[in-house]
Amino acid sequence: MDRKLMKAYSEIVLSGALKIGNDDVLWLRSEPVHQEFARFLAETAYELGAKYVNVSYEDPAFDRIRIDNTTVDSFLDYVPENRSAMFDSVVREGWRSLALRGPADPDLMEGADSARLARATKASSMARRGFLSAISSNRIPWNVCLAPTRAWAAKVLGSDDNWEKRIWDILIPVLRLDREDPVAAWAEHDALLKRRAEFLNSRRFPGIRFTGPGTDLTVGMLPDRLFNGGSSTSSDGTVFFPNIPTEEIFSTPDMTATRGRVKCTRPVTVYGAQVDGAWFRFENGRVVESGAETNAEVLKQYLATDDGASMLGEVALVGVDSPIYRSGRVFHNILFDENASCHIALGNGYTDCIENGTTMDEEELRQHRCNQSLVHTDFMIGSEEVDVIGIAEDGSETAIITNGEFVI
Amino acid sequence: MDRKLMKAYSEIVLSGALKIGNDDVLWLRSEPVHQEFARFLAETAYELGAKYVNVSYEDPAFDRIRIDNTTVDSFLDYVPENRSAMFDSVVREGWRSLALRGPADPDLMEGADSARLARATKASSMARRGFLSAISSNRIPWNVCLAPTRAWAAKVLGSDDNWEKRIWDILIPVLRLDREDPVAAWAEHDALLKRRAEFLNSRRFPGIRFTGPGTDLTVGMLPDRLFNGGSSTSSDGTVFFPNIPTEEIFSTPDMTATRGRVKCTRPVTVYGAQVDGAWFRFENGRVVESGAETNAEVLKQYLATDDGASMLGEVALVGVDSPIYRSGRVFHNILFDENASCHIALGNGYTDCIENGTTMDEEELRQHRCNQSLVHTDFMIGSEEVDVIGIAEDGSETAIITNGEFVI
């Protein structure tokens, strides 16, 4: 990444998305492969007045090494206390959290023993559950963004010839780095997402129906549900972007009310394995039947993670005006692929999509039919062949997305 | 590093030095540059039955970035609580600690503002003081070993041509990896070091005098002092090697009794900067005059770190039979250079070199004239031109090292 590009990108992330300024402590998580950009981000954060940048390099290769080589299965349930303590302290101390994603090895978990993988992943999620809950209710400003790697780019591009230039030619418009003032462009885009969310919040459709090839799914919604999109506001009043890029408006379904069949339109990474052609059939909010063309076994493991893993925690609408969709690429990275198309997530619900939800405890959330789970994985279900309709209390229908395009 | 070499090296470190076995948790600290060897070590530790390998990649470039770019000097005093908590939990939970040393950039701190550097380093030492004290009293099994990098090797070799082969040609005999059974060779060497320590412990010389070019220094010792060397025993009864390689026998001086002048025989890294030709004059145990050919200012900063930084915490004897000395190289790495020659350390004393010292609190240690400080840095003072003599209570002299060779 050249310095000009790093500068523009770090500005949208640190200033635009995370509003880093005086006295902030930034927690930066990254694979070691992103060392150069991580260093640039740290330098920029200090220039912006940050008090401290705490960098955690995380190398997921150690997870694979552990899954393959541990001599006793039950060791996989162990996560050191100090790992939970680290995550919890970030929330308690009001740090800002930035996760740089983009795997050094996108196929790291291919061929791993799926039971061992699920066991280790579940334990790791358990250890982070305080943090995940804090993130999902925006207690601190947080952001997840992508940094490309050679192996990941090769997967997107089909080869690694001249990968850096080719991948950035795709990423620059998606990140709006080609605009004169990218930070302003994101603010403008935020306003569009907010208008779309407001439309849905003014109607409060109890049903959102997706129809398309292999899909006729009605996601049930409760009247206290809110659609959000773009920027969020943390408990200290900071307006921040959880994701860059972001093209979705999203809400939390009634976990008991979704019904019908849905076919995924993009591959999804589940427990580190690529699942293609997944499909689900829902009854009373729960997946009662599922399948996939690849790694169906991993998908089954996922659905069995806990009680909430087979119910919805999110429904999100994305139009084909998304630059990510328009790029015509599959990014094999959820941060991008979820912003290419409408999606549903199996797993934990967003409490900030429920009126007063961020103040509710687990029992209250259950009463409000907000799904709770250790996991949350997006499954993409949109394309230009998919329509989305809002169904009102009286059964009347309002087109929201037609042939993939927003019509509201 | 080829796999055969990694295998032999990981065996002496994990089995020989740290006795990794069933249910152990290993804390592995490393710069990201050692990723390949760190992964190999993790794999080997799991094969040996480890329960968990917790890897902390630490990139010291972030320290330089902070020192150069922080907008407010006082921010340098800040260390997150969770950093201390991490160090403390390793001791509390009885993990085994392995630090892989070998800098990606050996000159990282050259040219940094020395006041800022000292301030940040002091804060960082403060945050780790519980851990440092636990290490110095062997509460947990720990080891520090070296992994070479291109830039470091270039500094040792004079160029980076064919650096990997050339540096390993030097390191292999030093690490005794050329022996038929390297783990057994280290056990045999341990017995030699123990015999030397025993001789000094049977005599309890109140003075140890070093004479040589620019040096006439008498280090004062108390009768409750012990010389140690080679393996140590942790509080759980594990016999472990804190360092590989190790060639020294060492003890903790009476912090009030050293007198005379001493000239260093090798460069030393102080607060990340290379100090050449350092010299000190001691009165009543304290440095009252000092100088250096390079970075004398950094040396002054170091001596002013705290009250204990200008008094001795260690005296160590190394003969010219040391393979590190025999290699004829300066390694610009304390782990190697301290094992090339006799040395003294300014700063914290080793409590396990005092009878019952590991059970004493700070006040008791002070009464026993054991120096206490946030820092501990070795300064090499031996060579084949230096003699070491034990001076008994009655003034009689016993040669310990003559022309650099042990004669006991």
Side-chain angles (χ1 to χ4, degrees):
Chain A
M1 225 189 295
D2 68 39
R3 281 186 75 85
K4 210 179 127 196
L5 192 56
M6 287 202 287
K7 191 166 161 47
Y9 196 7
S10 65
E11 262 169 22
I12 61 169
V13 172
L14 296 176
S15 297
L18 280 171
K19 307 287 194 300
I20 294 290
N22 286 345
D23 290 14
D24 286 325
V25 178
L26 175 65
W27 189 30
L28 174 55
R29 277 177 299 156
S30 165
E31 285 195 37
V33 69
H34 301 301
Q35 189 172 51
E36 185 194 19
F37 188 42
R39 288 176 178 180
F40 192 91
L41 284 165
E43 194 178 316
T44 308
Y46 283 119
E47 286 168 2
L48 290 168
K51 183 174 178 179
Y52 193 84
V53 181
N54 194 86
V55 182
S56 298
Y57 278 127
E58 295 174 346
D59 181 356
F62 289 106
D63 298 331
R64 179 69 199 251
I65 287 168
R66 185 176 178 222
I67 287 162
D68 288 353
N69 295 286
T70 196
T71 49
V72 180
D73 275 9
S74 66
F75 285 174
L76 296 169
D77 299 331
Y78 174 77
V79 179
E81 263 183 47
N82 54 30
R83 188 159 167 83
S84 307
M86 174 74 196
F87 276 93
D88 291 345
S89 74
V90 167
V91 177
R92 197 175 54 245
E93 295 176 18
W95 294 9
R96 288 161 200 239
S97 167
L98 174 58
L100 269 192
R101 297 277 180 243
D105 178 3
D107 301 319
L108 179 69
M109 291 299 174
E110 282 296 335
D113 180 293
S114 64
R116 282 188 161 210
L117 176 58
R119 195 165 181 167
T121 307
K122 184 173 173 177
S124 167
S125 300
M126 283 284 283
R128 286 180 295 138
R129 67 186 186 281
F131 179 77
L132 296 172
S133 145
I135 287 295
S136 80
S137 57
N138 296 322
R139 281 184 47 206
I140 57 168
W142 58 280
N143 180 268
V144 180
C145 72
L146 181 132
T149 61
R150 173 189 290 267
W152 171 77
K155 209 164 163 157
V156 177
L157 300 168
S159 84
D160 65 1
D161 300 342
N162 195 18
W163 70 274
E164 204 156 2
K165 168 154 188 352
R166 287 165 68 212
I167 198 76
W168 278 108
D169 283 348
I170 297 169
L171 296 180
I172 284 171
V174 162
L175 294 166
R176 295 179 166 78
L177 294 175
D178 53 348
R179 309 299 175 90
E180 199 173 329
D181 181 345
V183 172
W186 278 104
E188 194 182 303
H189 176 60
D190 190 32
L192 169 68
L193 296 175
K194 294 269 185 289
R195 277 198 302 278
R196 288 175 178 169
E198 219 163 278
F199 174 84
L200 286 158
N201 291 337
S202 69
R203 299 300 186 91
R204 311 259 170 161
F205 300 114
I208 296 176
R209 184 174 175 193
F210 296 83
T211 54
T215 291
D216 187 353
L217 181 81
T218 302
V219 175
M221 305 294 291
L222 283 171
D224 64 356
R225 292 313 201 263
L226 298 169
F227 271 83
N228 289 327
S231 63
S232 298
T233 304
S234 65
S235 56
D236 69 352
T238 306
V239 176
F240 70 98
F241 284 82
N243 293 160
I244 292 275
T246 183
E247 304 291 339
E248 59 173 344
I249 59 169
F250 59 94
S251 189
T252 300
D254 171 350
M255 69 182 187
T256 68
T258 295
R259 60 194 179 277
R261 197 184 187 285
V262 65
K263 188 160 174 29
C264 293
T265 52
R266 290 185 164 233
V268 177
T269 301
V270 178
Y271 283 163
Q274 183 174 322
V275 175
D276 297 276
W279 61 266
F280 305 100
R281 194 166 66 75
F282 289 82
E283 277 179 16
N284 303 317
R286 196 179 285 279
V287 172
V288 291
E289 214 181 334
S290 71
E293 287 155 25
T294 65
N295 285 311
E297 186 50 40
V298 177
L299 189 60
K300 293 262 190 275
Q301 294 272 4
Y302 178 85
L303 292 166
T305 306
D306 58 19
D307 188 59
S310 58
M311 294 188 289
L312 292 189
E314 182 187 356
V315 58
L317 305 180
V318 178
V320 295
D321 60 325
S322 157
I324 298 170
Y325 184 83
R326 285 206 312 261
S327 75
R329 300 285 179 169
V330 174
F331 288 93
H332 302 282
N333 180 292
I334 196 59
L335 183 60
F336 276 59
D337 288 322
E338 69 159 340
N339 282 302
S341 109
C342 292
H343 54 274
I344 50 177
L346 287 163
N348 206 44
Y350 292 120
T351 54
D352 66 333
C353 295
I354 303 174
E355 279 172 13
N356 304 316
T358 58
T359 64
M360 293 179 188
D361 63 21
E362 288 186 17
E363 186 45 43
E364 287 171 300
L365 289 169
R366 214 181 331 269
Q367 282 164 11
H368 282 258
R369 298 187 213 147
C370 174
N371 194 25
Q372 290 171 69
S373 171
L374 289 172
V375 288
H376 174 114
T377 300
D378 293 326
F379 293 86
M380 278 63 71
I381 63 171
S383 77
E384 55 203 355
E385 298 178 303
V386 174
D387 294 339
V388 184
I389 298 159
I391 303 176
E393 204 66 63
D394 63 4
S396 64
E397 298 187 347
T398 303
I400 301 169
I401 288 176
T402 302
N403 298 329
E405 292 267 16
F406 268 97
V407 292
I408 56 173
Chain B
M1 222 189 293
D2 69 40
R3 281 186 75 85
K4 210 180 127 198
L5 193 56
M6 286 201 289
K7 192 165 159 49
Y9 196 5
S10 65
E11 261 169 21
I12 61 169
V13 172
L14 297 176
S15 298
L18 280 171
K19 308 287 195 298
I20 294 289
N22 287 344
D23 291 14
D24 287 325
V25 178
L26 174 65
W27 188 30
L28 173 56
R29 279 177 298 156
S30 166
E31 285 195 36
V33 68
H34 301 301
Q35 190 172 50
E36 185 195 19
F37 188 42
R39 288 176 177 179
F40 192 91
L41 284 164
E43 194 178 317
T44 308
Y46 282 119
E47 286 168 2
L48 290 167
K51 183 174 180 180
Y52 193 84
V53 181
N54 193 87
V55 182
S56 297
Y57 277 128
E58 295 175 346
D59 181 357
F62 289 106
D63 298 330
R64 179 68 198 253
I65 287 168
R66 185 176 178 223
I67 287 162
D68 288 352
N69 294 286
T70 196
T71 50
V72 180
D73 275 10
S74 66
F75 285 174
L76 297 169
D77 300 331
Y78 174 78
V79 179
E81 262 182 48
N82 53 31
R83 189 161 166 82
S84 307
M86 174 73 196
F87 276 93
D88 291 346
S89 74
V90 167
V91 177
R92 196 176 54 245
E93 295 175 19
W95 294 10
R96 288 163 200 238
S97 166
L98 174 58
L100 268 192
R101 298 277 179 243
D105 177 3
D107 300 319
L108 180 69
M109 290 299 175
E110 282 295 333
D113 181 296
S114 64
R116 283 188 160 210
L117 176 57
R119 195 165 181 166
T121 307
K122 183 174 173 176
S124 166
S125 299
M126 284 283 283
R128 286 180 295 138
R129 67 185 185 283
F131 180 77
L132 296 173
S133 144
I135 287 296
S136 81
S137 58
N138 296 322
R139 281 184 48 205
I140 57 168
W142 59 279
N143 180 269
V144 180
C145 72
L146 181 131
T149 62
R150 173 188 290 268
W152 171 77
K155 210 163 163 158
V156 177
L157 300 168
S159 85
D160 66 1
D161 299 343
N162 195 19
W163 71 273
E164 205 156 1
K165 166 148 189 357
R166 286 167 67 213
I167 198 76
W168 278 108
D169 283 349
I170 296 168
L171 296 180
I172 284 171
V174 162
L175 294 166
R176 295 179 165 77
L177 294 175
D178 54 348
R179 308 299 176 90
E180 199 173 328
D181 181 345
V183 172
W186 278 105
E188 194 182 304
H189 176 59
D190 190 31
L192 170 66
L193 296 175
K194 293 268 186 288
R195 277 198 303 276
R196 288 175 178 170
E198 219 163 277
F199 175 85
L200 286 158
N201 291 337
S202 70
R203 299 300 185 93
R204 311 259 171 160
F205 300 113
I208 296 176
R209 184 176 174 191
F210 295 84
T211 54
T215 290
D216 186 352
L217 182 80
T218 302
V219 175
M221 305 295 291
L222 283 170
D224 65 355
R225 292 314 200 264
L226 297 169
F227 271 82
N228 289 326
S231 63
S232 298
T233 304
S234 64
S235 56
D236 70 352
T238 306
V239 176
F240 70 98
F241 284 82
N243 294 159
I244 292 275
T246 184
E247 304 291 339
E248 59 173 345
I249 58 169
F250 59 94
S251 189
T252 301
D254 171 349
M255 69 181 188
T256 68
T258 295
R259 61 194 179 275
R261 197 183 187 285
V262 65
K263 189 160 174 25
C264 293
T265 51
R266 290 186 165 232
V268 177
T269 301
V270 178
Y271 282 165
Q274 183 175 322
V275 176
D276 297 277
W279 61 266
F280 305 100
R281 194 165 67 74
F282 288 82
E283 278 179 15
N284 302 318
R286 195 179 286 279
V287 173
V288 291
E289 214 181 334
S290 72
E293 287 155 24
T294 65
N295 285 310
E297 186 50 39
V298 177
L299 189 59
K300 294 261 190 276
Q301 294 272 2
Y302 177 86
L303 292 167
T305 306
D306 58 19
D307 188 59
S310 57
M311 293 188 291
L312 293 189
E314 181 186 356
V315 59
L317 305 181
V318 178
V320 295
D321 60 325
S322 158
I324 298 169
Y325 184 84
R326 285 206 312 261
S327 75
R329 300 285 178 169
V330 174
F331 288 92
H332 302 283
N333 181 290
I334 196 58
L335 183 61
F336 276 60
D337 289 322
E338 70 159 340
N339 283 302
S341 108
C342 292
H343 53 274
I344 49 176
L346 288 163
N348 206 45
Y350 293 119
T351 55
D352 66 333
C353 295
I354 303 174
E355 278 171 13
N356 305 314
T358 58
T359 64
M360 293 179 189
D361 63 21
E362 289 187 15
E363 186 44 43
E364 287 171 301
L365 290 170
R366 215 181 331 268
Q367 283 165 9
H368 282 258
R369 298 186 213 148
C370 173
N371 194 26
Q372 289 172 70
S373 171
L374 288 172
V375 288
H376 175 113
T377 299
D378 292 327
F379 293 86
M380 278 63 72
I381 62 170
S383 77
E384 53 203 358
E385 298 179 303
V386 174
D387 294 339
V388 185
I389 298 159
I391 302 176
E393 203 66 62
D394 63 4
S396 64
E397 299 187 348
T398 304
I400 301 169
I401 289 176
T402 303
N403 297 329
E405 292 266 18
F406 268 97
V407 291
I408 57 173

